[in-house]
PDB file of all heavy atoms in Angstrom:
ATOM      1  N   GLU A  87     -13.866   2.837 -23.984  1.00 96.00           N
ATOM      2  CA  GLU A  87     -13.262   4.035 -23.426  1.00 96.00           C
ATOM      3  C   GLU A  87     -11.895   3.794 -22.832  1.00 96.00           C
ATOM      4  O   GLU A  87     -11.038   4.659 -22.753  1.00 96.00           O
ATOM      5  CB  GLU A  87     -14.201   4.704 -22.396  1.00 96.00           C
ATOM      6  CG  GLU A  87     -15.421   5.291 -23.024  1.00 96.00           C
ATOM      7  CD  GLU A  87     -16.461   5.770 -22.020  1.00 96.00           C
ATOM      8  OE1 GLU A  87     -16.264   5.576 -20.784  1.00 96.00           O
ATOM      9  OE2 GLU A  87     -17.500   6.323 -22.457  1.00 96.00           O
ATOM     10  N   SER A  88     -11.664   2.556 -22.365  1.00 96.00           N
ATOM     11  CA  SER A  88     -10.393   2.225 -21.755  1.00 96.00           C
ATOM     12  C   SER A  88      -9.285   1.989 -22.791  1.00 96.00           C
ATOM     13  O   SER A  88      -8.101   2.104 -22.467  1.00 96.00           O
ATOM     14  CB  SER A  88     -10.497   1.010 -20.804  1.00 96.00           C
ATOM     15  OG  SER A  88     -10.625  -0.160 -21.582  1.00 96.00           O
ATOM     16  N   LEU A  89      -9.698   1.612 -24.008  1.00 96.00           N
ATOM     17  CA  LEU A  89      -8.702   1.291 -25.029  1.00 96.00           C
ATOM     18  C   LEU A  89      -7.726   2.408 -25.339  1.00 96.00           C
ATOM     19  O   LEU A  89      -6.528   2.191 -25.403  1.00 96.00           O
ATOM     20  CB  LEU A  89      -9.392   0.790 -26.289  1.00 96.00           C
ATOM     21  CG  LEU A  89      -9.865  -0.681 -26.240  1.00 96.00           C
ATOM     22  CD1 LEU A  89     -10.652  -1.017 -27.500  1.00 96.00           C
ATOM     23  CD2 LEU A  89      -8.744  -1.646 -26.028  1.00 96.00           C
ATOM     24  N   PRO A  90      -8.186   3.649 -25.569  1.00 97.00           N
ATOM     25  CA  PRO A  90      -7.191   4.730 -25.831  1.00 97.00           C
ATOM     26  C   PRO A  90      -6.226   4.951 -24.680  1.00 97.00           C
ATOM     27  O   PRO A  90      -5.037   5.204 -24.914  1.00 97.00           O
ATOM     28  CB  PRO A  90      -8.067   5.968 -26.020  1.00 97.00           C
ATOM     29  CG  PRO A  90      -9.420   5.460 -26.424  1.00 97.00           C
ATOM     30  CD  PRO A  90      -9.550   4.141 -25.717  1.00 97.00           C
ATOM     31  N   VAL A  91      -6.658   4.767 -23.460  1.00 97.00           N
ATOM     32  CA  VAL A  91      -5.780   4.896 -22.297  1.00 97.00           C
ATOM     33  C   VAL A  91      -4.750   3.808 -22.317  1.00 97.00           C
ATOM     34  O   VAL A  91      -3.536   4.060 -22.139  1.00 97.00           O
ATOM     35  CB  VAL A  91      -6.602   4.864 -20.980  1.00 97.00           C
ATOM     36  CG1 VAL A  91      -5.681   4.837 -19.769  1.00 97.00           C
ATOM     37  CG2 VAL A  91      -7.581   6.026 -20.905  1.00 97.00           C
ATOM     38  N   LEU A  92      -5.184   2.618 -22.614  1.00 97.00           N
ATOM     39  CA  LEU A  92      -4.267   1.460 -22.664  1.00 97.00           C
ATOM     40  C   LEU A  92      -3.295   1.615 -23.836  1.00 97.00           C
ATOM     41  O   LEU A  92      -2.102   1.276 -23.696  1.00 97.00           O
ATOM     42  CB  LEU A  92      -5.019   0.143 -22.782  1.00 97.00           C
ATOM     43  CG  LEU A  92      -5.850  -0.240 -21.560  1.00 97.00           C
ATOM     44  CD1 LEU A  92      -6.755  -1.445 -21.850  1.00 97.00           C
ATOM     45  CD2 LEU A  92      -4.961  -0.539 -20.344  1.00 97.00           C
ATOM     46  N   GLU A  93      -3.765   2.137 -24.981  1.00 97.00           N
ATOM     47  CA  GLU A  93      -2.873   2.392 -26.093  1.00 97.00           C
ATOM     48  C   GLU A  93      -1.816   3.449 -25.739  1.00 97.00           C
ATOM     49  O   GLU A  93      -0.648   3.283 -26.121  1.00 97.00           O
ATOM     50  CB  GLU A  93      -3.691   2.850 -27.322  1.00 97.00           C
ATOM     51  CG  GLU A  93      -4.517   1.750 -27.917  1.00 97.00           C
ATOM     52  CD  GLU A  93      -5.530   2.254 -28.930  1.00 97.00           C
ATOM     53  OE1 GLU A  93      -5.614   3.467 -29.223  1.00 97.00           O
ATOM     54  OE2 GLU A  93      -6.311   1.384 -29.434  1.00 97.00           O
ATOM     55  N   LYS A  94      -2.218   4.433 -24.988  1.00 97.00           N
ATOM     56  CA  LYS A  94      -1.275   5.466 -24.555  1.00 97.00           C
ATOM     57  C   LYS A  94      -0.200   4.893 -23.622  1.00 97.00           C
ATOM     58  O   LYS A  94       0.980   5.223 -23.734  1.00 97.00           O
ATOM     59  CB  LYS A  94      -2.014   6.615 -23.846  1.00 97.00           C
ATOM     60  CG  LYS A  94      -1.111   7.768 -23.465  1.00 97.00           C
ATOM     61  CD  LYS A  94      -1.881   8.882 -22.806  1.00 97.00           C
ATOM     62  CE  LYS A  94      -0.921   9.997 -22.408  1.00 97.00           C
ATOM     63  NZ  LYS A  94      -1.571  11.020 -21.615  1.00 97.00           N
ATOM     64  N   VAL A  95      -0.636   4.010 -22.760  1.00 97.00           N
ATOM     65  CA  VAL A  95       0.305   3.350 -21.834  1.00 97.00           C
ATOM     66  C   VAL A  95       1.297   2.511 -22.645  1.00 97.00           C
ATOM     67  O   VAL A  95       2.498   2.542 -22.369  1.00 97.00           O
ATOM     68  CB  VAL A  95      -0.444   2.475 -20.792  1.00 97.00           C
ATOM     69  CG1 VAL A  95       0.524   1.618 -20.011  1.00 97.00           C
ATOM     70  CG2 VAL A  95      -1.238   3.363 -19.838  1.00 97.00           C
ATOM     71  N   VAL A  96       0.802   1.784 -23.636  1.00 98.00           N
ATOM     72  CA  VAL A  96       1.702   0.982 -24.492  1.00 98.00           C
ATOM     73  C   VAL A  96       2.733   1.889 -25.162  1.00 98.00           C
ATOM     74  O   VAL A  96       3.914   1.593 -25.172  1.00 98.00           O
ATOM     75  CB  VAL A  96       0.884   0.165 -25.532  1.00 98.00           C
ATOM     76  CG1 VAL A  96       1.831  -0.423 -26.584  1.00 98.00           C
ATOM     77  CG2 VAL A  96       0.097  -0.936 -24.878  1.00 98.00           C
ATOM     78  N   GLN A  97       2.256   3.010 -25.703  1.00 98.00           N
ATOM     79  CA  GLN A  97       3.165   3.931 -26.375  1.00 98.00           C
ATOM     80  C   GLN A  97       4.207   4.520 -25.407  1.00 98.00           C
ATOM     81  O   GLN A  97       5.409   4.592 -25.738  1.00 98.00           O
ATOM     82  CB  GLN A  97       2.352   5.071 -27.018  1.00 98.00           C
ATOM     83  CG  GLN A  97       3.221   6.042 -27.831  1.00 98.00           C
ATOM     84  CD  GLN A  97       3.941   5.354 -28.994  1.00 98.00           C
ATOM     85  OE1 GLN A  97       3.456   4.392 -29.574  1.00 98.00           O
ATOM     86  NE2 GLN A  97       5.098   5.842 -29.308  1.00 98.00           N
ATOM     87  N   GLU A  98       3.776   4.870 -24.202  1.00 97.00           N
ATOM     88  CA  GLU A  98       4.708   5.396 -23.213  1.00 97.00           C
ATOM     89  C   GLU A  98       5.749   4.342 -22.820  1.00 97.00           C
ATOM     90  O   GLU A  98       6.915   4.662 -22.697  1.00 97.00           O
ATOM     91  CB  GLU A  98       3.941   5.858 -21.966  1.00 97.00           C
ATOM     92  CG  GLU A  98       3.132   7.118 -22.179  1.00 97.00           C
ATOM     93  CD  GLU A  98       2.187   7.429 -21.024  1.00 97.00           C
ATOM     94  OE1 GLU A  98       2.083   6.606 -20.055  1.00 97.00           O
ATOM     95  OE2 GLU A  98       1.567   8.504 -21.071  1.00 97.00           O
TER      96      GLU A  98
END
Side-chain angles (χ1 to χ4, degrees):
E87 290 172 357
S88 75
L89 282 175
V91 174
L92 293 171
E93 288 168 4
K94 184 178 179 187
V95 170
V96 168
Q97 185 60 32
E98 289 170 355

